[in-house]
């Protein structure tokens, strides 16, 4: 069985270290996971007034989330919290009321920063938001990556054996989590 995983990168920067980490995660993933990126850079700021006629970029976001079997959020930490573009995407994807695209999507959260605690505080802020959106989350193993440019190559190559082993284990656990959540979903055929 294979699963399509929507990759959401919480940074808009083309040179983002989390984009680099996402490439390493894809290379570390088991073969049953197929990835596609869900872009968040073209979304307008959330505005309830736009809900009656959703912008095309919002419709695309929602359709992409709904087409995914699972979600992988790879995000930095901005000022000890969720980056604005990511929070904006969460708000749009969950609206209008009753049309929450995140519901029941098995979700993994990981991120890198140059600090020693990685993205621990951002992830702590993100988890209750995802819980409210009814997105089941992989809670263990946790992953707070302290980014080192010598370890994570721009092409996704991981140049440190223990880091490579950790990412492969984390992605294997994420694949198993997606399988468990989807197998227990009502109406799931698998």
């Amino acid at each position: 069985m294979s699963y399509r995983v929507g990759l959401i990168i919480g940074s808009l920067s083309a040179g983002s270290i989390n984009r680099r980490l996402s490439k390493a995660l894809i290379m570390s993933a088991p073969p049953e996971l197929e990835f596609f990126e869900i872009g968040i850079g073209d979304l307008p700021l959330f505005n309830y007034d736009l809900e009656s006629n959703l912008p095309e970029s919002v419709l695309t976001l929602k359709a992409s989330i709904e087409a995914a079997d699972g979600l992988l959020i790879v995000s930095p930490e901005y000022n000890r919290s969720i980056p604005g573009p990511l929070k904006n995407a969460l708000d749009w994807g969950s609206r209008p009321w009753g049309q929450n695209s995140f519901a029941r999507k098995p979700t993994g959260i990981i991120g890198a920063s140059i600090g020693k605690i990685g993205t621990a505080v951002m992830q702590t802020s993100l988890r209750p938001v995802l819980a409210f959106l009814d997105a089941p989350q992989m809670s263990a193993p946790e992953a707070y990556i302290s980014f080192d440019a010598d370890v994570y190559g721009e092409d996704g190559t991981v140049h440190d054996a223990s880091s490579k082993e950790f990412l492969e284990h984390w992605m294997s656990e994420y694949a198993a989590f997606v399988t468990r959540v989807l197998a227990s979903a009502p109406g799931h055929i698998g």
Side-chain angles (χ1 to χ4, degrees):
M1 186 115 210
S2 63
Y3 301 105
R4 293 188 73 230
V5 175
L7 176 66
I8 300 174
I9 300 171
S11 169
L12 300 183
S13 170
S16 165
I17 61 176
N18 283 278
R19 181 165 296 285
R20 201 184 238 188
L21 174 61
S22 73
K23 292 175 185 177
L25 291 165
I26 290 169
M27 289 180 71
S28 301
E32 65 265 22
L33 299 182
E34 173 192 331
F35 295 88
F36 67 98
E37 186 172 347
I38 299 175
I40 63 174
D42 294 335
L43 298 170
L45 290 177
F46 178 77
N47 181 342
Y48 173 79
D49 294 341
L50 300 176
E51 282 190 359
S52 61
N53 187 20
L54 291 176
E56 191 62 36
S57 59
V58 173
L59 293 172
T60 299
L61 170 78
K62 291 178 71 60
S64 296
I65 295 166
E66 291 162 12
D69 295 312
L71 300 171
L72 180 58
I73 298 174
V74 184
S75 181
E77 178 176 298
Y78 290 175
N79 298 318
R80 299 283 190 240
S81 192
I82 305 167
L86 176 56
K87 181 60 168 74
N88 190 49
L90 295 170
D91 292 341
W92 273 122
S94 65
R95 300 295 296 182
W97 182 257
Q99 297 176 35
N100 174 14
S101 301
F102 291 100
R104 294 171 298 289
K105 296 291 179 180
T107 305
I109 307 167
I110 191 169
S113 79
I114 57 172
K116 293 294 182 199
I117 61 169
T119 57
V121 181
M122 180 281 298
Q123 291 186 40
T124 301
S125 298
L126 182 57
R127 288 189 183 283
V129 175
L130 290 170
F132 180 77
L133 298 181
D134 192 25
Q137 303 157 58
M138 183 173 85
S139 57
E142 296 176 316
Y144 312 114
I145 308 297
S146 181
F147 185 80
D148 181 342
D150 293 333
V151 172
Y152 299 97
E154 289 188 34
D155 64 352
T157 304
V158 180
H159 303 287
D160 173 74
S162 65
S163 296
K164 183 175 172 37
E165 182 180 338
F166 176 80
L167 292 184
E168 287 172 350
H169 173 72
W170 196 89
M171 290 304 292
S172 175
E173 290 292 323
Y174 173 71
F177 173 74
V178 170
T179 301
R180 280 192 311 273
V181 171
L182 294 179
S184 66
H188 174 73
I189 299 171

